[in-house]
Amino acid sequence: MIIKNVKVFTEEKTFEDGEIIIRDGIFADGAKEDKKEIVEREETIEGEGCYAIPGLIDLHFHGCKGWDFCDGTGKAIEEIARYEASVGVTTICPATMTLPVEELNHILSVAADYKKTAEKEHSPAADLIGINMEGPFISKEKKGAQDEKNIIPCDAGICQHFLTASDGLVKFVGIAPEKNEDALEFIRKMKDKVHISLAHTNADYEEAKAAFDAGANHAVHLYNAMSAFTHRAPGVVGAVADSPFVNAELICDGVHVHPAVVRATFRMLGEDRIILISDSMRAAGMADGSYTLGGLRVNVAGNQATLEEGGALAGSVTNLMDCLRTAVKQMGLSLETAVACATMNPAKALGEYEKYGSITPGKISQER
């Protein structure tokens, strides 16, 4: 396949006039082949000067179209992956909720089986390349839409079971390091096996910085479900700012983080460390109504999802492509920056940049 006359997003984060050649699901290098021969044997699509960007990578979301990753079935994952591909999110790393350990092990095992089957059948849906565990090692004080009864202390043995059940698919494990004597030891034990993130945590600056210094390197949905960032108590956000190796997720749905804070965060951290996520739940792509998230009832009205009990935000109802549009049109990010933060940055954080994240010869094209 040849897509000609397009503005191609490059690894230098610029758009350049050119064409894209795809062969057997891989981007090909047209400069190394006879152009006349390529044109004769390949389907050609006229791009009409449109922008061509890599498929987006959602590194943290829960579901869509009435399905949730934690439904724990291959059917749920398949339906989620198909919807995501239909809106330009061609690579996914869905998130788990805080659930009983055995239930989490089942969900992870199902995901591992799904991935093997999808690869054999060359599924046209989004590629499942990771899992982002948002619990159960989190804080009751900042539980948000997580079920408190399933929260447990950090446990390296349980974590290892998660990694084994997922057959290596788990890429991030979130923890709350505060008031937990074993948290730093947990980080030191597990940091070479999986990325440790700070998630749903009330840690102060010192506690968060100690966790990052011990080897944690990721922050789950910055500002949301974590200690506040103030001028005398900078909390987790301040520790992220002072730890240049730490990546931070940011929900740009127009609900979770104010546009002014989004702009300030980019100035503070720089664009290379920020990963746009949707954090969408099963109501994404659906009508307003009553839904569930992690076993808790959620009301959806317009672009907001809130718990029936307590009113806490319960994820978003916006897919990542729409978050990208919001970041550009309403928050003032450049298109180049927003695309990089939804493609290149998550691919690098997942350790998958050799295969995904840019329109580069040799990488997986994910044409849909």
Side-chain angles (χ1 to χ4, degrees), residues 5-312:
N5 188 27
V6 287
K7 300 181 187 300
V8 183
F9 188 73
T10 71
E11 289 192 343
E12 288 68 43
K13 304 177 187 177
T14 60
F15 285 97
E16 295 183 1
D17 293 335
E19 64 184 15
I20 300 170
I21 301 174
I22 300 170
R23 185 170 297 115
D24 297 325
I26 303 295
F27 292 118
D29 188 352
K32 294 182 178 180
E33 302 184 49
D34 182 273
K35 285 292 180 70
K36 183 180 179 181
E37 184 181 332
I38 293 174
V39 172
E40 289 177 349
R41 70 173 186 252
E42 298 286 352
E43 174 190 2
T44 300
I45 297 174
E46 172 56 54
E48 301 180 347
C50 291
Y51 290 92
I53 65 174
L56 305 192
I57 302 173
D58 201 345
L59 181 147
H60 183 149
F61 76 109
H62 297 276
C64 51
K65 294 299 285 185
W67 300 91
D68 191 294
F69 179 67
C70 285
D71 289 343
T73 67
K75 175 66 172 177
I77 301 174
E78 179 182 8
E79 293 297 329
I80 288 168
R82 287 183 179 277
Y83 169 79
E84 293 298 330
S86 77
V87 295
V89 182
T90 57
T91 311
I92 57 174
C93 175
T96 57
M97 294 291 288
T98 296
L99 297 167
V101 170
E102 287 306 312
E103 187 173 344
L104 287 171
N105 279 322
H106 169 74
I107 292 164
L108 300 176
S109 178
V110 168
D113 290 341
Y114 168 85
K115 180 175 175 61
K116 293 171 186 174
T117 301
E119 289 175 344
K120 287 180 181 177
E121 297 178 353
H122 303 288
S123 170
D127 290 350
L128 173 66
I129 65 169
I131 297 169
N132 190 338
M133 297 199 72
E134 201 172 354
F137 310 126
I138 60 171
S139 160
K140 293 182 179 180
E141 289 79 8
K142 292 293 182 180
K143 64 182 184 294
Q146 308 278 346
D147 193 337
E148 180 176 331
K149 72 176 182 289
N150 297 317
I151 294 173
I152 59 176
C154 297
D155 187 301
I158 292 175
C159 185
Q160 183 58 58
H161 283 303
F162 291 154
L163 303 187
T164 301
S166 74
D167 197 17
L169 260 180
V170 171
K171 299 297 178 70
F172 300 91
V173 173
I175 71 165
E178 70 275 14
K179 301 177 184 177
N180 187 339
E181 296 179 0
D182 298 326
L184 297 185
E185 183 59 27
F186 173 89
I187 294 171
R188 295 187 186 101
K189 283 183 178 179
M190 303 306 300
K191 66 179 181 178
D192 294 328
K193 299 180 179 181
V194 66
H195 296 291
I196 305 299
S197 53
L198 266 56
H200 288 265
T201 171
N202 203 34
D204 60 24
Y205 172 88
E206 288 76 17
E207 291 166 328
K209 190 65 168 61
F212 291 137
D213 289 344
N217 63 358
H218 193 83
V220 169
H221 44 49
L222 201 67
Y223 299 106
N224 290 279
M226 64 176 54
S227 50
F229 175 51
T230 71
H231 62 300
R232 290 195 182 94
V236 176
V237 177
V240 171
D242 281 350
S243 305
F245 53 89
V246 175
N247 294 316
E249 303 170 1
L250 203 58
I251 309 172
C252 289
D253 63 344
V255 175
H256 282 77
V257 185
H258 192 281
V261 175
V262 170
R263 293 189 290 272
T265 304
F266 271 86
R267 289 192 293 270
M268 179 169 59
L269 301 185
E271 64 182 42
D272 291 338
R273 298 172 56 195
I274 296 175
I275 297 167
L276 299 189
I277 64 166
S278 71
D279 197 21
S280 68
M281 48 88 72
R282 71 169 78 241
M286 302 287 285
D288 290 358
S290 180
Y291 298 87
T292 61
L293 180 66
L296 302 178
R297 301 300 304 179
V298 177
N299 287 324
V300 173
N303 62 351
Q304 290 199 30
T306 55
L307 290 182
E308 285 187 1
E309 184 177 343

